[in-house]
Amino acid sequence: MSEFVQDPPRLGNQYDDDALLRAYLRWRLPANMLAEVEPDLRRLGHRAATDILALGESAEASPPRHVPYDAWGHRVDRIETSDAWRELDRISATEGIVATAYERRHGPRSRIHQFAKLYLFAPSSALYSCPLAMTDGAARFLEVHGDKSMQPVLAHLISRDPSEFWTSGQWMTERTGGSDVGSTSTIAACEEGDSYSLYGSKWFTSATTSQVAMTLARIEGAPAGSHGLSVFLIHLRGNDGLLRNIRIERLKDKLGTRALPTAELTLEGTPAQLVGGAGDGVRKIATLFNVTRVYNAVAAVAGMRRAIALASDFARRRRAFGKLLVEHPLHVGTLAEMQLELRAAFLLAFRVVELLGKDECGDATESELKLLRFLIPVAKLYTAKQAIAVASEALEAFGGAGYLEDSGLPRLLRDSQVLSIWEGTTNILSLDALRAVERGDVLAEWTSDVRRRLSGLKVTALSSCAERTLSAVQRIEQYAERAASAGSEFQQAGARRFAFAIARTEAAALLIEHGNAQADQVAVTAARRWCARELALLTEADAEYRAGSVALERGG
Ligand code: MFK
């Protein structure tokens, strides 16, 4: 009988082992800033492979529990979470995963430092990154739209003191769906001034253990649609620790994100404060979800990186057909393609991180603000889809072990699947990118930005890459002109391919810039491989194409 057993994959220091992250930071940070933040990232990189990883695994093994009644029949609606989950909350505060962005020690680049921390923390955190995303989004919302009375809440959201730190929920989804937010039916009845009582139900509320939540409701008598909605702040619990006129109907039974409490709620006269004035709620809360969408993009690349780190380590342990997996050329090629996907997605995600930091510090030009508006949905939708593909490929790289629950690997795939659903699905975000194009000269800004960045390259090996990228830019421009005259059905039916073309072409420009700046073999090879692919695959969604789609969908 064979005595063969396999060596499980292991993680080293997640900062030291990440050549891409380190190369990116060397590229984008001034030397003195890098010298200052590197010890912090290295320390967190160690924790991400040790105590934080263990806490994440423990939180995953002890999912939250809804306790509707106490032993005496009183409705209590407690959500019990594990010690590990609560410890992750404390670590988030002391590590300043949110605070680092608001302390702004390094001006606009503080966002790079902060998102590098999130990138290390997220894949070990059992999705504690989700409450942090919403907390950060709420903090930004209060900075932009809140008045002085909101300062104490903001101070809690960006605190490093675990006893002061609060997280915030983001309750946008009702039974009518997570996408069509304008049909929100929760009603806000005015009590006095900015104080309201909310009546309605929220169908998906993530991290329902938060101290506060931002939500949307329609003030009595306000018009239908998204412009009739307003944004409200809710303090979930009173001094007695009980929920304030909020009934928890149940916790959701989800494919993944199992440590994360996600509840269905009924608001039964819940006290809430109007923030940012009445009306235009969707436009205002976009300040919040544009931050959470950046989190989504960074969490997606972080998940890809974790999946690849495990698969690469395993390939150096596992022998088959007389040699290590990493000695098989086809397997190396497969891992290399995954690395390339990660590299492109990483640069795209951190491109929006950089723009977000500039916006928040008042350093962004008009052009950069337009690029930020356009690239957030593009980066979110693209990185989410690629994260799922890479997680799936990584599981396959383990063979049967990748399919076994107790290997811990299936969680990579389950948890990645949510990334393309919450915070706007791929189609909703494709339409959002289209809307950004329709409502401004965004596309012209983007095309001239890419052209400017690719002019005057010093690495000649990248010239053909730049030519291919510029050709893709030109095809996108020509397509957009045709689409503009062909009408909205043409544009909408082609919106997904359009968004992917923007993502791939922007990633090409970033890979070329990176290769040009670093001039190292890996960065140049990555740019060349990426640009050898089709960057701008577009759909001419004319009437004939759309009729074909209708027929295909029906199946005859
Ligand atoms: C680790 C990662 C963790 C992530 C945490 C996840 C936990 C959170 C769980 C959730 O809450 S998931 C639910 C998230 N829900 C969404 O993301 C909503 C998805 N749906 C959309 O994004 C729709 O596109 C949208 C609701 C915005 C469409 O609604 P409408 O009413 O058809 O919008 P419309 O009329 O286009 O836009 C209304 C206004 O908002 C316009 O401004 P104006 O009134 O000035 O014209 C738009 O320009 C503005 N707007 C819309 N999207 C925007 C935006 N502004 C800036 N950025 C955007 N993305």
Side-chain angles (χ1 to χ4, degrees):
M1 201 172 74
S2 168
E3 295 295 316
F4 181 81
V5 289
Q6 293 184 28
D7 208 6
R10 295 196 191 119
L11 293 175
N13 182 310
Q14 289 301 285
Y15 178 73
D16 284 330
D17 285 359
D18 194 334
L20 172 61
L21 173 63
R22 287 187 290 112
Y24 166 77
L25 295 176
R26 276 198 307 278
W27 178 36
R28 302 310 285 169
L29 301 186
N32 59 346
M33 179 178 167
L34 181 60
E36 193 183 319
V37 303
E38 194 163 48
D40 182 44
L41 295 173
R42 179 163 288 124
R43 189 187 43 71
L44 185 57
H46 173 69
R47 296 193 75 182
T50 52
D51 64 321
I52 296 176
L53 180 68
L55 287 167
E57 284 169 359
S58 171
E60 184 74 9
S62 311
R65 204 168 68 92
H66 175 213
V67 180
Y69 296 97
D70 71 8
W72 317 106
H74 303 111
R75 184 96 199 185
V76 288
D77 274 331
R78 274 201 317 272
I79 295 177
E80 292 183 349
T81 54
S82 62
D83 291 346
W85 183 253
R86 293 193 299 280
E87 184 59 22
L88 286 164
D89 179 80
R90 284 188 285 276
I91 290 173
S92 306
T94 52
E95 285 290 347
I97 305 284
V98 176
T100 305
Y102 292 85
E103 291 160 358
R104 302 201 172 118
R105 280 178 57 79
H106 301 284
R109 294 193 184 90
S110 306
R111 274 292 186 190
I112 301 181
H113 180 199
Q114 180 237 346
F115 274 107
K117 295 195 78 162
L118 177 79
Y119 174 79
L120 294 169
F121 175 81
S124 298
S125 75
L127 269 291
Y128 210 83
S129 47
C130 168
L132 299 181
M134 298 187 293
T135 301
D136 196 330
R140 183 66 189 144
F141 179 88
L142 294 180
E143 262 195 348
V144 173
H145 301 286
D147 58 22
K148 258 190 152 173
S149 70
M150 295 291 158
Q151 288 301 318
V153 177
L154 175 60
H156 281 292
L157 300 180
I158 62 176
S159 175
R160 279 181 185 259
D161 176 350
S163 63
E164 292 290 319
F165 180 57
W166 287 0
T167 56
S168 173
Q170 167 201 358
W171 301 350
M172 284 170 59
T173 303
E174 299 202 349
R175 281 167 190 264
T176 39
S179 298
D180 187 7
V181 175
S183 61
T184 291
S185 63
T186 296
I187 292 294
C190 186
E191 299 297 340
E192 192 190 356
D194 282 346
S195 299
Y196 285 77
S197 297
L198 304 188
Y199 298 86
S201 65
K202 298 287 170 183
W203 189 236
F204 274 90
T205 61
S206 284
T208 319
T209 44
S210 293
Q211 287 83 355
V212 291
M214 309 299 308
T215 195
L216 288 167
R218 199 174 309 281
I219 294 174
E220 282 175 311
S226 66
H227 295 297
L229 294 172
S230 302
V231 184
F232 293 86
L233 171 75
I234 296 176
H235 288 262
L236 270 67
R237 291 172 190 79
N239 293 334
D240 55 4
L242 294 176
L243 290 167
R244 299 163 84 205
N245 302 350
I246 299 172
R247 178 185 285 261
I248 297 177
E249 303 298 348
R250 58 176 166 161
L251 288 182
K252 298 285 195 186
D253 184 8
K254 297 167 290 176
L255 171 67
T257 71
R258 289 182 182 170
L260 174 71
T262 303
E264 280 172 39
L265 304 177
T266 302
L267 309 180
E268 302 171 313
T270 308
Q273 190 175 350
L274 177 69
V275 194
D280 285 334
V282 169
R283 182 171 55 74
K284 288 171 188 160
I285 210 164
T287 307
L288 189 163
F289 65 59
N290 280 329
V291 172
T292 48
R293 286 173 183 176
V294 179
Y295 266 74
N296 208 91
V298 173
V301 293
M304 290 161 83
R305 153 75 194 146
R306 174 60 53 87
I308 294 170
L310 291 167
S312 294
D313 180 77
F314 187 66
R316 285 165 176 75
R317 300 176 184 280
R318 170 81 161 108
R319 300 185 81 82
F321 303 103
K323 52 187 179 182
L324 291 170
L325 293 187
V326 76
E327 291 163 346
H328 290 273
L330 183 55
H331 197 66
V332 170
T334 307
L335 293 173
E337 285 298 304
M338 292 159 72
Q339 286 278 14
L340 184 58
E341 279 301 341
L342 165 62
R343 188 172 277 260
F346 177 100
L347 293 178
L348 186 59
F350 275 84
R351 168 91 168 117
V352 294
V353 165
E354 290 176 25
L355 290 168
L356 180 70
K358 284 189 168 185
D359 175 21
E360 291 173 345
C361 290
D363 279 10
T365 61
E366 276 303 306
S367 161
E368 286 171 328
L369 290 176
K370 287 179 185 165
L371 292 174
L372 178 64
R373 168 72 186 90
F374 185 41
L375 291 178
I376 285 180
V378 167
K380 191 282 186 185
L381 73 90
Y382 185 76
T383 54
K385 277 294 200 209
Q386 297 319 107
I388 299 166
V390 166
S392 172
E393 194 70 76
L395 258 60
E396 193 175 329
F398 288 91
Y403 202 65
L404 296 180
E405 276 299 335
D406 59 358
S407 70
L409 296 164
R411 181 149 74 91
L412 295 172
L413 185 57
R414 283 204 303 268
D415 285 351
S416 67
Q417 186 64 60
V418 76
L419 294 166
S420 68
I421 298 174
W422 65 12
E423 293 303 322
T425 61
T426 310
N427 283 357
I428 286 292
L429 293 175
S430 299
L431 296 173
D432 188 47
L434 192 62
R435 185 168 35 208
V437 170
E438 281 167 358
R439 292 191 186 173
D441 48 358
V442 163
L443 194 66
E445 288 294 349
W446 178 74
T447 54
S448 54
D449 182 65
V450 174
R451 288 193 173 104
R452 182 187 53 72
R453 285 154 54 204
L454 295 188
S455 63
L457 298 176
K458 63 178 197 290
V459 178
T460 48
L462 293 169
S463 306
S464 60
C465 302
E467 275 166 30
R468 283 185 62 85
T469 307
L470 294 173
S471 152
V473 167
Q474 195 179 20
R475 277 181 287 127
I476 291 170
E477 258 173 345
Q478 290 164 349
Y479 168 84
E481 271 172 36
R482 287 195 300 282
S485 56
S488 83
E489 294 222 357
F490 181 106
Q491 292 167 17
Q492 290 190 19
R496 194 190 262 238
R497 284 254 176 103
F498 176 72
F500 272 71
I502 300 289
R504 291 204 175 102
T505 308
E506 174 65 28
L510 290 163
L511 287 162
I512 294 168
E513 281 184 288
H514 187 220
N516 190 54
Q518 299 282 113
D520 76 45
Q521 199 206 340
V522 175
V524 171
T525 303
R528 287 170 65 88
R529 282 238 185 143
W530 187 260
C531 293
R533 294 180 177 182
E534 177 56 80
L535 297 176
L537 191 61
L538 295 154
T539 302
E540 300 293 326
D542 55 16
E544 187 186 339
Y545 173 89
R546 297 196 304 273
S549 297
V550 170
L552 278 168
E553 190 279 327
R554 285 193 187 137

